[in-house]
Amino acid sequence: MTTDPTSPADRQIPAWIPTVGTGWAALLIQLQEELCALDPDYRIERFDTNLGGLRVTVADRFQEGEFDGEFADRATALTDAAETSSERTCETCGEPGRIRLRGDGPHTWMQSSCDTCRTLPIQKAEPADSTEINRLGTSRP
């Protein structure tokens, strides 16, 4: 799930915490603290969940028109560590987990989950009312 907040304040980690499972909130809070220690004005360029883990890219920083390579290296090390941790942390509860296949048939995806949460029923989105579906053209009358 990729989101693109519009205000500059929304271009930091807290804006994306609600888009992932509660089990990854602690990982993201830690990443927020570490990135703020590097630069309180850092910006997230890309935030996504893919292949069962987090994928985070911090925007490049420039000082006096020059690319700040040291910042880029340090920020990348922090996001890489958070991404690796997410693949070993249950997205639902935060306990140790691993990447597993969820769903069935054409609706299969990868999700990091623990032994307990992997057996929980899959939460399906509530269907929109038929008027909204028809208006969007995604369903036939």
Side-chain angles (χ1 to χ4, degrees):
M1 141 186 352
T2 301
T3 58
D4 187 19
T6 55
S7 77
D10 290 340
R11 302 284 302 180
Q12 291 191 342
I13 294 293
W16 281 281
I17 291 175
T19 68
V20 299
T22 57
W24 284 350
L27 291 174
L28 292 175
I29 290 167
Q30 179 181 348
L31 180 58
Q32 165 72 3
E33 291 170 358
E34 294 167 341
L35 289 171
C36 280
L38 284 180
D39 178 4
D41 297 322
Y42 81 90
R43 290 182 311 106
I44 296 297
E45 185 172 292
R46 183 168 188 255
F47 185 96
D48 198 6
T49 57
N50 193 4
L51 300 175
L54 291 169
R55 305 293 175 252
V56 182
T57 304
V58 176
D60 291 332
R61 184 173 83 166
F62 295 86
Q63 290 185 337
E64 298 176 13
E66 295 292 321
F67 172 72
D68 188 348
E70 182 180 342
F71 169 79
D73 290 345
R74 293 173 69 193
T76 298
L78 294 173
T79 58
D80 286 352
E83 290 173 3
T84 299
S85 291
S86 74
E87 294 171 0
R88 297 181 306 216
T89 303
C90 179
E91 183 178 359
T92 304
C93 71
E95 292 296 316
R98 65 183 175 87
I99 295 175
R100 304 167 193 264
L101 291 176
R102 297 280 295 182
D104 61 349
H107 304 288
T108 302
W109 68 95
M110 298 169 80
Q111 181 182 35
S112 184
S113 59
C114 64
D115 290 338
T116 302
C117 292
R118 77 177 177 85
T119 61
L120 295 175
I122 297 169
Q123 299 294 323
K124 294 186 178 183
E126 293 294 321
D129 70 28
S130 60
T131 305
E132 182 67 10
I133 292 173
N134 288 334
R135 186 185 67 75
L136 297 173
T138 56
S139 179
R140 293 183 192 149

